[in-house]
Structures are given as C-alpha cells and as structure tokens.
Amino acid sequence: MGHRKDENMISKLITKIQEKDAPVVVGLDPMLNYVPEWIQKKAFEEHGETLEGAAEAIWQYNKGIVDATYDLIPAVKPQIAMYEQFGIPGLMAFKKTVDYCKEKGLVVIGDIKRGDIGSTSTAYAVGHIGKVTVGSKSYAGFDEDIVTVNPYLGSDGVKPFIDVCKQEDKGIFVLVKTSNPSSGEFQDQMVDGKPLYELVAKKVAEWGEECMDGAYSNVGCVIGATYPEMGKVLRKLMPKAYILVPGYGAQGGTAKDLAPYFNEDGLGAIVNSSRGIIAAYKNDKYAKFGEKNYADASRQAVVDMIEDINGALK
Amino acid sequence: MGHRKDENMISKLITKIQEKDAPVVVGLDPMLNYVPEWIQKKAFEEHGETLEGAAEAIWQYNKGIVDATYDLIPAVKPQIAMYEQFGIPGLMAFKKTVDYCKEKGLVVIGDIKRGDIGSTSTAYAVGHIGKVTVGSKSYAGFDEDIVTVNPYLGSDGVKPFIDVCKQEDKGIFVLVKTSNPSSGEFQDQMVDGKPLYELVAKKVAEWGEECMDGAYSNVGCVIGATYPEMGKVLRKLMPKAYILVPGYGAQGGTAKDLAPYFNEDGLGAIVNSSRGIIAAYKNDKYAKFGEKNYADASRQAVVDMIEDINGALK
C-alpha cells in the first residue's frame, strides 16, 4: 500500500470541517445515566442487568445520536474510559461505535490519552491507529483515525505514535493544557520563566514538523476551552498544529472564548462538546423533545452549537 | 461488604513479599516475538493467524510462565498495551491473565498508566480496580489489585482512583520518574529550584496520607531503576509510598542501584523485570533450557533475580 497524499488525516479532517462548515466534534462519552430509560430497559430485557446489557444500551444510545447528527458534523470523539468501565463488553461497544462512525463517513478521534515508554507506546499506537502483525497477516485492533496522547514520558513516549501516523496516514492530538480545574498543578509550573505547557507546546510544534500534511500537521494538540488567554499564546507557538478544544458548554467554555484558538484562515481548531450534545434531552432548553426523541434533541444541540461557534468566529 | 483492615492492598503485598522473601514483580509484557514458535504454531492451528490466534498464543505463554514462577513471587505486572495491540481478543487475554494470576494468589499490578479528568478517571478506576453499577447489579470489569496512574492532569485526575482504592481496598502507583531515556524532557524540568518529579513526589506523599494502611500507603509510585541518585532523594520525600521500580535488567538498572529505593525496614520497594524474565530463554545465560522449556528458563531467571537483589540489600 503506497502513501497517497490525498488520504492524509488532517487534510481529510479539514475537508470535512469545510464541507459541513462546522469546526465541531461530538464527544461520545456515554455514562449509563445519560441513556434514556427505554433504551436501558430494552437492553436489560435482552441481556439482563449485565456488562453486556450495559454495553448494548450505550451502543444503541450512540447509534441513535450518530444517525441523527452525522450529516452535520465532521468528527466524533469517543472517550474510551466510558466503555472500558464496562470491561470487555464495553470495549466491544467502543469498537462497534468506531466502526459505525467510520461507515457514516466521520473522522473518529479516539480519546484514549495513552502514553508509555518506547515499545509500549508502539503497542498502543499499533492497536489504536495502526496494524499489528500476526504471522503473515496484519490487523487493525481498534482502527481509530486520530488518538489523544499523554506527553508526560517525553519524546520517546510520543514518537512511536508519530511513526505509526506516518505509516498509516493517521493523526494524534497531544495533551498540552487540559480543561480540568487542577490541570495547573503540574502543567502551569514555571520552567525558565515559562509555564511547562508552553514547553510541551514547543515539543508538539517540533514533533509536528516531521509529519506535515499541507498547511497543518498530523500532530495536533489538546487545549481546554476554559483558558482563552493561554489559547492565544499557544496558538502562536504551534501555528501548524490543529487544536482539539474540550470544555465547551458543560465545562464552562463559551463561543467567544474560542476565537483565539483559530488561525486567520478560519481553521486550526475543532471544538468538542460531549454531555451538552449527547445528554441534551436532559437540559431544560431541549426538554420539549422528551426522552423518546433524545437523538432529535442532540441534533438540535449540534445545530445550535455550530451556529454559536460560527457566529463568534465571523 | 464492610471494610476489613486485614484486606488492605499494600499490607497484602507486603505480607506476600515477606513470605517469599522476594521484593520482585514479574512483568507480563508478551510481545508476540517472545512467544516460542511451538506455542504460536499451536495457537495459529486452532485459531488461524488472527487476533484470536495471537491472543491465545500470549495467554498460553503467560500461563506457562505463571505456573513456573508463582510460588517464588508476590506479584505480577501485566502491561495492558501488549494486549490492547491485539484489540478485543488481546484484552480478553489480559483479563484471563489477571484472573489466573489472582487464582494463583498473586497480587496483580495492572500497568495501565491511565489518567484523565474527574469523571473520566472515575470510569477508568471503576473499570480496573472497582465495580461499575448496571441497574441493581455491580460488576468488576478487569479487577486488578493495583494500577499505575499518570499524574499529568493533576489532583482531580488522580483522586478518583484514590476514592476507589478506599472503597475497594485496592492500590495505585503514580508515575513520578519513568525509566525511559527522554523521561527528563518534562519530568526533570526545574520548578522553583527543584525538578518537577519532586513536586509530583510531594503530591504522592500528600495523596497517600488519605489512604494509609499500616506503615505504608495504598498510594505508591513508579521510579525507574536507572536513577539511583534520584531514588535516594525521592525515598525521603515519600517515606510511606511503596516504590514500583521498573528498568532492572534489560533496561540497564543493576541490583546495587536499587538499595536507595528501600527503607531501613528492608521494605518500601518492589523491583520489576519483564523481558529479562519472560524472554529469559532467548538470553545466552539461559539458552540451555531451550524454547520448549522457556518457562523453566523464566523460573531460573526469577531465582537469580531474587538472589541478586537480596544480595545487594543485605
């Protein structure tokens, strides 16, 4: 299989963002208490109150949301922890979700935050965005398009992911500054007069040079929506890195906070919302849809999110 | 189920270390090219050259090693990446390995290096060392005894694991200083005149206070064997934290490097070897055992490792 220029991942993501005029990603992070009662009931009738039953419930819930929103959005971001908590059946639901979203033409960003030393990072990379060799055959274990990576172990923990990106035309988003309240405990510590996250950002820019795909790199990063001032500085340090921005909506980031994350070309960032979309029906604003039509509530929340973000950018 | 004092995880680990007089852990990190040809052949005959075939091969390989060494050692540390690379079948082999090792009375340290924001860390904690609720039932997805945790996201990424430790009498080892060559890129950066890993170490000590179990805490840490000088400083900063020490043997750490990781009581550290034990038969020193008797080679390598380490400590 030769390397085809037009298949590079970040270009593919950008094309889809432009086609849909929607720099957004829907976070498929299904907590069981988000899943409407009627879906849980049906799944438990078929499989009992078991891990299989829970996995079936979250899969059916996801499928409903994907069917109702896939034409509006370029990408989804399933958070693997929400599946892993249900053990093997949960991870089977994760895999099913990844496969289904790809069938629907969506770019799938596996929010896995893996990172380890050399050969171990290679194993994660191979399992999630590459292919593993078994005798004379090779197989893609999970086959996401892009995954999130934790940089705490340094270059030799990240480079194996970049090697696989190059081989397979895939992408990674490296954690630079996360959206949670205590992210500053280590990430904001001052190193030679600059916060640590800026040092990580410089490394992301350096790693990204190896992996360019047009104006942007297949090595992107994660910066929480809750820090617009930092976003501005980091945008300049990594002009060619696509920024995945979690924390919009439920975590407190607003559309006007997001402008600094984008470049002059109107590109360079993609904003994630999870609970705000997938559990929209539980929000007063969308309560009129009711539990039965939870997926329509999610669709309306996506429409509103795109309008909100595009409005703030234009 | 009430909380029973005698079931706390770090006490359980210490009791086993003392019974076997062996502060060691065997890293079950099966690369397919470590697995003897005859095991691969048999697995591929039954399942084809498939992910299922690979998973069967690594499971049979692990089982041989566990059967040959379990009476000598207190604990094993399966590295989940090595299973995850084979997708769902690989993770089923991980689960089978965890269950089998627990049946054999071993403490199972899941080397998962997970870490995320609040509710997502809770999901990982619940999936690996806790129980997830499904309707009126609850289930342990993977059910390790202890897991490794990445601290880059700060306290609110780590505390959910500690909460589950308290509920379930389990433990965690937080990454402080990893054994890989580029671990210093971020971990060694100077913050107020001290390296970042010392700041992480102080947090580990603080988190550990919440979770004491006799003289030691159920919150331990990971420090590579390749940094004895750092080990000395970190030991003092976290006197009550058990230190999991990877990097002995194949990664270059020697027994005499390890003394600083232990406390005066002869406790406080457990040394991991992976490749040096599980692929011992590929080492000239143990080549006489041959591929067929790979597990006997592993047993001899464990005997030698325990002698080497205890010799350096006494």
Side-chain angles (χ1 to χ4, degrees):
Chain A
M1 288 173 293
H3 175 98
R4 278 184 286 155
K5 189 85 198 135
D6 61 348
E7 277 188 331
N8 279 1
M9 190 44 66
I10 208 73
S11 299
K12 191 174 158 189
L13 178 63
I14 291 170
T15 302
K16 285 180 191 288
I17 290 170
Q18 290 175 322
E19 277 170 13
K20 316 240 173 132
D21 191 23
V24 305
V25 51
V26 170
L28 296 173
D29 308 356
M31 303 282 280
L32 205 45
N33 64 7
Y34 295 171
V35 180
E37 280 294 318
W38 62 275
I39 295 180
Q40 291 193 45
K41 195 163 171 275
K42 186 153 181 286
F44 293 160
E45 273 167 18
E46 282 168 32
H47 301 275
E49 288 181 342
T50 59
L51 293 175
E52 289 74 13
E56 174 67 12
I58 60 176
W59 154 244
Q60 292 297 342
Y61 173 63
N62 281 349
K63 186 173 177 300
I65 294 163
V66 172
D67 286 342
T69 60
Y70 77 95
D71 60 314
L72 300 174
I73 58 175
V76 289
K77 182 177 74 65
Q79 166 54 261
I80 199 169
M82 295 303 166
Y83 305 81
E84 204 165 317
Q85 67 182 328
F86 298 110
I88 301 291
L91 286 160
M92 292 170 80
F94 176 80
K95 174 77 179 116
K96 238 164 149 173
T97 300
V98 170
D99 290 347
Y100 189 71
C101 292
K102 289 178 75 171
E103 270 172 51
K104 290 286 181 183
L106 296 164
V107 170
V108 177
I109 303 166
D111 197 354
I112 65 172
K113 295 190 180 66
R114 304 298 196 247
D116 207 296
I117 67 170
S119 57
T120 310
S121 273
T122 300
Y124 280 130
V126 152
H128 284 278
I129 52 173
K131 292 190 192 76
V132 69
T133 301
V134 181
S136 58
K137 307 267 175 60
S138 69
Y139 298 93
F142 287 100
D143 211 19
E144 296 104 300
D145 293 313
I146 299 174
V147 290
T148 56
V149 172
N150 184 312
Y152 188 64
L153 287 84
S155 290
D156 59 20
V158 176
K159 290 235 169 123
F161 285 94
I162 297 178
D163 291 341
V164 173
C165 283
K166 288 194 228 171
Q167 283 159 30
E168 306 280 344
D169 289 333
K170 300 267 179 136
I172 58 170
F173 290 141
V174 179
L175 303 186
V176 166
K177 172 70 186 165
T178 55
S179 60
N180 56 315
S182 63
S183 69
E185 252 172 45
F186 305 126
Q187 297 165 25
D188 292 4
Q189 291 296 331
M190 298 303 277
V191 172
D192 294 332
K194 301 273 184 192
L196 178 68
Y197 62 75
E198 289 194 23
L199 183 65
V200 179
K202 281 182 195 156
K203 281 281 166 192
V204 166
E206 195 184 305
W207 297 327
E209 287 296 334
E210 285 184 40
C211 217
M212 290 302 295
D213 174 19
Y216 288 93
S217 171
N218 286 307
V219 177
C221 66
V222 178
I223 307 172
T226 35
Y227 314 102
E229 287 308 308
M230 296 177 190
K232 205 179 293 180
V233 175
L234 293 169
R235 177 71 288 173
K236 290 206 181 91
L237 286 174
M238 299 174 287
K240 298 166 188 171
Y242 236 82
I243 305 177
L244 171 66
V245 190
Y248 168 85
Q251 287 181 53
T254 66
K256 75 171 170 32
D257 295 334
L258 298 170
Y261 296 79
F262 288 81
N263 275 321
E264 302 271 308
D265 60 4
L267 296 171
I270 186 162
V271 182
N272 179 76
S273 179
S274 299
R275 195 165 67 230
I277 304 295
I278 68 173
Y281 79 97
K282 288 184 170 247
N283 185 327
D284 285 347
K285 191 175 170 192
Y286 304 107
K288 64 169 187 253
F289 287 96
E291 231 193 57
K292 194 76 196 172
N293 303 308
Y294 77 101
D296 297 328
S298 294
R299 183 177 176 87
Q300 189 57 49
V302 167
V303 168
D304 293 347
M305 179 187 178
I306 294 170
E307 197 185 286
D308 184 37
I309 289 171
N310 284 342
L313 293 180
K314 274 154 198 172
Chain B
M1 286 173 294
H3 176 97
R4 277 185 286 154
K5 189 85 198 134
D6 59 349
E7 274 187 335
N8 280 2
M9 190 45 66
I10 208 72
S11 298
K12 190 173 157 189
L13 178 64
I14 292 170
T15 303
K16 285 182 192 289
I17 291 170
Q18 289 176 321
E19 276 170 13
K20 316 245 172 127
D21 191 24
V24 305
V25 50
V26 170
L28 296 173
D29 308 356
M31 304 282 279
L32 205 47
N33 64 6
Y34 295 171
V35 179
E37 281 294 319
W38 63 274
I39 294 180
Q40 291 193 44
K41 195 162 171 279
K42 187 153 180 286
F44 293 160
E45 274 167 16
E46 282 169 33
H47 301 275
E49 288 181 343
T50 59
L51 293 175
E52 288 75 13
E56 174 66 12
I58 60 177
W59 154 244
Q60 291 298 340
Y61 172 63
N62 281 348
K63 187 174 176 299
I65 294 162
V66 172
D67 287 342
T69 60
Y70 78 94
D71 60 316
L72 300 175
I73 57 176
V76 290
K77 181 177 75 66
Q79 166 54 261
I80 198 169
M82 297 303 166
Y83 304 81
E84 203 164 319
Q85 67 181 329
F86 298 110
I88 301 291
L91 286 161
M92 291 170 81
F94 175 80
K95 174 76 180 120
K96 237 165 149 172
T97 300
V98 170
D99 290 346
Y100 190 71
C101 291
K102 289 178 74 171
E103 269 172 52
K104 290 286 185 183
L106 295 164
V107 170
V108 177
I109 303 166
D111 197 354
I112 65 171
K113 295 188 180 67
R114 304 297 195 250
D116 207 296
I117 66 169
S119 58
T120 311
S121 273
T122 300
Y124 280 130
V126 153
H128 285 279
I129 52 173
K131 292 191 193 76
V132 70
T133 301
V134 181
S136 58
K137 306 265 174 61
S138 70
Y139 297 93
F142 287 101
D143 211 18
E144 296 105 298
D145 293 313
I146 299 174
V147 290
T148 57
V149 172
N150 184 311
Y152 188 65
L153 285 87
S155 291
D156 60 22
V158 176
K159 290 235 170 125
F161 284 94
I162 297 179
D163 291 341
V164 174
C165 282
K166 288 193 227 171
Q167 282 158 29
E168 306 281 343
D169 288 333
K170 300 266 178 138
I172 57 171
F173 290 140
V174 179
L175 303 186
V176 167
K177 172 72 185 164
T178 56
S179 60
N180 55 315
S182 64
S183 69
E185 254 172 44
F186 305 125
Q187 297 165 23
D188 292 5
Q189 291 296 332
M190 298 302 276
V191 172
D192 294 331
K194 301 274 184 192
L196 179 66
Y197 61 75
E198 289 194 24
L199 183 63
V200 179
K202 280 181 197 158
K203 281 283 168 191
V204 167
E206 196 184 304
W207 296 327
E209 288 296 336
E210 284 184 42
C211 218
M212 291 302 296
D213 175 19
Y216 289 93
S217 172
N218 286 308
V219 178
C221 67
V222 178
I223 307 171
T226 36
Y227 314 101
E229 286 308 307
M230 296 178 190
K232 206 179 292 180
V233 175
L234 293 170
R235 176 72 286 174
K236 289 205 183 94
L237 285 176
M238 300 173 285
K240 297 166 188 169
Y242 236 82
I243 306 176
L244 171 66
V245 190
Y248 169 84
Q251 287 181 53
T254 65
K256 75 171 169 33
D257 295 335
L258 299 171
Y261 295 78
F262 288 80
N263 276 320
E264 304 270 308
D265 60 5
L267 296 171
I270 185 162
V271 182
N272 178 76
S273 178
S274 299
R275 195 164 70 233
I277 304 295
I278 69 173
Y281 79 98
K282 288 185 172 247
N283 184 326
D284 285 347
K285 191 174 170 192
Y286 304 107
K288 64 168 189 254
F289 287 97
E291 230 192 60
K292 194 77 198 170
N293 303 308
Y294 77 100
D296 297 329
S298 294
R299 183 178 176 86
Q300 189 57 50
V302 167
V303 168
D304 293 348
M305 179 187 177
I306 293 170
E307 196 184 288
D308 185 35
I309 289 171
N310 284 342
L313 293 182
K314 275 153 197 171

